[in-house]
Amino acid sequence: MYKCNEKTNPPFERLTDEELCALAAAGSREAEEILVTRYNRLVRTCARPYFLIGGDSEDLTQEGMVGLIKAVREYDGAKEASFRTFAEICIRNRLYSVLRAATRDKHSPLNQSVPLDTPFFESNSYTAATRNMAQRNPEEYIIDREHAESVLSGVRKQLSEFETKILGYYLDGLSCREIAESVGKSPKSVDNAVQRVRRKVAQYSGEISKS
């Protein structure tokens, strides 16, 4: 068991994900908090596409965080999957559960939700853990991926060059301030662009659902 101190052990921040999970399982709150901070961007990356369609960004991010914490507390280092793979599975499972529940309400804006980020099955870390996930409802993920490709292709034709750039950064999980620094614009300008993109995505998704 790790007992971090400056003389004999590296700081928690320098430990691997798997080492931090072992510490978290042993009761280390600090190790758990470091993992949550380390993977906060992954949660945003998974949740944001749904926000663009019509979900509430903060609500979905919080649901994704629930999935991340579940991953931290349930990760088994003896299994084949890396922690990152397992964390992504738990985050996406949590989001899909929330979205499926939302679609039961015909008036919910989430009933048009599709993932707009990189298709899940393109990950190089495809392991036994991800295969088990896929076996739950593979048709759902295939439909999501095909719909996502269609939405992205159609929407990007309607975006300006600046909006396309912002969309890419946004789906990568960067904050508005981080995007602003990358493109040399103000956070307000970036936020306005995100809102324009969101409106265009919602409009395009509505057109698809009517066709």
Side-chain angles (χ1 to χ4, degrees):
M1 179 182 297
Y2 288 94
K3 294 182 179 180
C4 293
N5 61 69
E6 295 182 355
K7 293 182 179 180
T8 61
N9 293 300
F12 276 24
E13 290 82 357
R14 291 165 57 186
L15 298 177
T16 66
D17 296 340
E18 290 70 23
E19 290 169 337
L20 288 170
C21 281
L23 285 169
S28 172
R29 184 66 179 273
E30 182 179 357
E32 182 174 293
E33 290 176 350
I34 291 172
L35 279 169
V36 168
T37 299
R38 188 176 289 182
Y39 281 91
N40 180 268
R41 181 171 167 179
L42 176 61
V43 171
R44 296 201 307 268
T45 299
C46 292
R48 278 180 167 177
Y50 299 103
F51 164 66
L52 286 174
I53 298 297
D56 185 284
S57 180
E58 286 306 311
D59 285 350
L60 289 176
T61 298
Q62 289 303 314
E63 293 293 344
M65 291 301 295
V66 171
L68 175 57
I69 292 173
K70 173 184 172 68
V72 172
R73 295 178 177 175
E74 297 185 4
Y75 178 71
D76 183 353
K79 300 295 184 180
E80 182 180 358
S82 67
F83 173 74
R84 181 182 179 82
T85 297
F86 185 67
E88 185 170 353
I89 291 171
C90 291
I91 294 167
R92 291 185 184 277
N93 270 346
R94 180 71 183 186
L95 291 172
Y96 286 143
S97 294
V98 171
L99 293 166
R100 281 196 296 268
T103 58
R104 298 191 188 107
D105 179 359
K106 294 182 180 179
H107 301 292
S108 170
L110 287 176
N111 62 6
Q112 297 296 331
S113 296
V114 293
L116 299 182
D117 50 351
T118 303
F120 182 74
F121 294 127
E122 290 184 1
S123 171
N124 292 326
S125 53
Y126 190 82
T127 63
T130 56
R131 285 194 294 271
N132 289 337
M133 178 188 179
Q135 289 169 0
R136 290 184 178 182
N137 192 352
E139 294 85 0
E140 178 180 347
Y141 298 115
I142 292 173
I143 293 172
D144 279 347
R145 183 175 65 183
E146 292 176 348
H147 195 176
E149 292 171 350
S150 175
V151 170
L152 273 178
S153 177
V155 169
R156 280 182 169 151
K157 296 176 183 178
Q158 303 177 12
L159 302 180
S160 67
E161 182 178 350
F162 178 65
E163 290 168 346
T164 299
K165 182 181 296 186
I166 296 301
L167 175 61
Y169 282 123
Y170 190 78
L171 293 179
D172 282 341
L174 273 67
S175 67
C176 281
R177 184 170 298 279
E178 290 170 333
I179 297 173
E181 293 175 354
S182 298
V183 300
K185 299 288 185 178
S186 69
K188 180 63 176 178
S189 176
V190 170
D191 183 66
N192 288 339
V194 170
Q195 296 307 318
R196 291 197 301 273
V197 171
R198 185 185 179 192
R199 287 194 294 270
K200 292 178 182 180
V201 170
Q203 181 180 7
Y204 186 80
S205 296
E207 293 173 354
I208 290 179
S209 64
K210 293 176 183 177
S211 61

